[in-house]
Amino acid sequence: MSTQGKVIITCAVTGAIHTPTMSPHLPITPDEITEAAIGAAEAGAAILHLHARDPETGKPDQTPEAFARFLPRIKQGTDAAINITTGGSPYMKVEERVRPAAQFKPEVASLNMGSINFGLYHLVQKYDSFKFDWEKPHLEATKDLVFRNSFKDIEYILETCYDNGTRFEFECYDIAHLYNLAHFADRGLVKAPFFVQSVFGLLGGIGTHPEDVQHMKRTADRLFGADFRWSVLGAGASQLRIAAQSAALGGNVRVGLEDSLWAGKGKLATSNAEQVTMVRKIIEGLGLEVATPDEARRILSLKG
Ligand SMILES: C[C@H](N)CC(=O)CC(=O)O
Ligand SMILES: [Zn+2]
């Protein structure tokens, strides 16, 4: 059955950057992450992008033990493809970041294709204002935060996961990251089709203007031709607008509370499933269909 016109929805259920104080709906505990992931899959997500947190503090926890507290139940509750983060949080070393993916050998793992100054602007962003409030003390510190992904770090993650049959969600926060991916392709260290996840709207990366989206797509088309499957995520308020543009351009989409806490103008999303349902309406409104997990596996050549 053709997978033409099928749109893959990835849902990133919790992440590492948003904190519990920002939204009461952010899944923190293993139970909450399990429920959120299965709910997102039932709403139409074919891929679940997962981070773990300390259930007490909500702080990112990249230990395999933390992932083991929800992975088996999620796998039991849905046939969606599991995507384990190797980004962890920008404060972690790459050796720590890769451990869960190395141990659990998921179908998909994220791979960040370059280093960026990591501005957490959307944390202070009121729904549609881009005025930064740098005075907030915890933001002062982030002025010096670099999310490090050197060529050596990327090679290390590729080598560590290479024999696991894990395929990567190549996170590209800027045009240069597409060229970095092309570099690793030239060296034969990554296998086509490349699942390119273009990230828009994080301070330190590319913006959210429709021309930024077009520019990413055009550049990926030129560099990878038929060898890539394109997906996008928009940070904060731009999430659904960026997703709509991608679907209209034949691309795939990522939503979830990792990337945005919102469900429309000034309204906090009450669940990940709510964002999946909203983007699904846009996709079906465009006359397209949402891909099932098995269709996503075929489109991305996942090991299943
Ligand atoms: C913008 C997203 N937080 C990118 C991300 O999901 C990184 C990762 O987990 O490796
Ligand atoms: Zn992530």
Side-chain angles (χ1 to χ4, degrees):
M1 183 167 61
S2 145
T3 51
Q4 201 51 39
K6 301 276 179 165
V7 180
I8 300 169
I9 300 175
T10 296
C11 187
V13 302
T14 185
I17 302 300
H18 290 139
T19 61
T21 54
M22 290 166 200
S23 172
H25 311 296
L26 188 68
I28 301 295
T29 68
D31 291 356
E32 290 165 352
I33 292 173
T34 302
E35 194 193 318
I38 293 173
E42 284 162 356
I47 300 178
L48 300 168
H49 173 77
L50 301 171
H51 288 243
R53 293 179 182 258
D54 174 305
E56 308 306 319
T57 63
K59 285 208 170 0
D61 181 341
Q62 195 67 4
T63 59
E65 296 70 32
F67 284 79
R69 293 190 196 108
F70 54 71
L71 275 180
R73 285 184 286 161
I74 294 175
K75 284 186 184 159
Q76 220 157 36
T78 170
D79 68 341
I82 300 295
N83 168 349
I84 292 180
T85 179
T86 69
S89 102
Y91 299 98
M92 295 173 182
K93 290 254 172 306
V94 71
E95 292 75 13
E96 177 187 4
R97 287 166 40 188
V98 76
R99 287 184 54 215
Q103 176 163 331
F104 295 105
K105 305 178 174 44
E107 291 184 80
V108 187
S110 62
L111 184 55
N112 297 275
M113 295 313 294
S115 302
I116 61 166
N117 291 346
F118 209 78
L120 307 177
Y121 92 101
H122 61 277
L123 297 182
V124 296
Q125 173 197 9
K126 298 293 163 280
Y127 186 79
D128 51 11
S129 68
F130 287 85
K131 188 165 59 41
F132 302 127
D133 179 350
W134 288 119
E135 302 334 301
K136 284 221 163 60
H138 71 276
L139 283 172
E140 187 58 31
T142 72
K143 279 188 183 171
D144 204 27
L145 181 60
V146 174
F147 181 28
R148 178 188 145 136
N149 295 287
S150 67
F151 289 113
K152 199 154 169 286
D153 296 333
I154 295 171
E155 253 176 46
Y156 175 77
I157 293 175
L158 286 171
E159 277 150 18
T160 306
C161 300
Y162 203 77
D163 300 331
N164 303 349
T166 296
R167 301 187 66 84
F168 292 100
E169 174 196 35
F170 297 106
E171 315 265 7
C172 296
Y173 300 75
D174 218 329
I175 298 296
H177 297 173
L178 293 172
Y179 284 93
N180 293 348
L181 176 56
H183 161 75
F184 285 102
D186 294 347
R187 291 173 54 193
L189 294 180
V190 289
K191 287 193 295 261
F194 312 124
F195 181 34
V196 172
Q197 186 71 263
S198 294
V199 180
F200 298 93
L202 268 180
L203 181 65
I206 198 166
T208 61
H209 191 282
E211 282 171 12
D212 295 323
V213 178
Q214 291 275 13
H215 187 30
M216 270 271 204
K217 175 79 168 52
R218 268 197 305 267
T219 307
D221 281 332
R222 186 165 40 75
L223 290 174
F224 308 117
D227 283 349
F228 84 109
R229 308 287 179 269
W230 190 51
S231 184
V232 303
L233 79 85
S238 71
Q239 184 177 65
L240 293 176
R241 178 165 50 78
I242 298 278
Q245 194 180 349
S246 171
L249 290 168
N252 303 289
V253 303
R254 179 172 131 165
V255 295
L257 300 189
E258 168 167 350
D259 306 333
S260 170
L261 296 173
W262 305 105
K265 195 166 181 57
K267 181 181 170 303
L268 280 177
T270 55
S271 70
N272 282 272
E274 183 179 8
Q275 289 182 345
V276 174
T277 302
M278 290 175 82
V279 81
R280 180 177 196 137
K281 284 203 181 104
I282 293 171
I283 291 166
E284 291 168 349
L286 292 170
L288 301 166
E289 286 177 52
V290 169
T292 64
D294 283 345
E295 286 167 339
R297 288 184 174 96
R298 270 202 300 282
I299 294 166
L300 301 174
S301 305
L302 303 185
K303 62 179 177 180

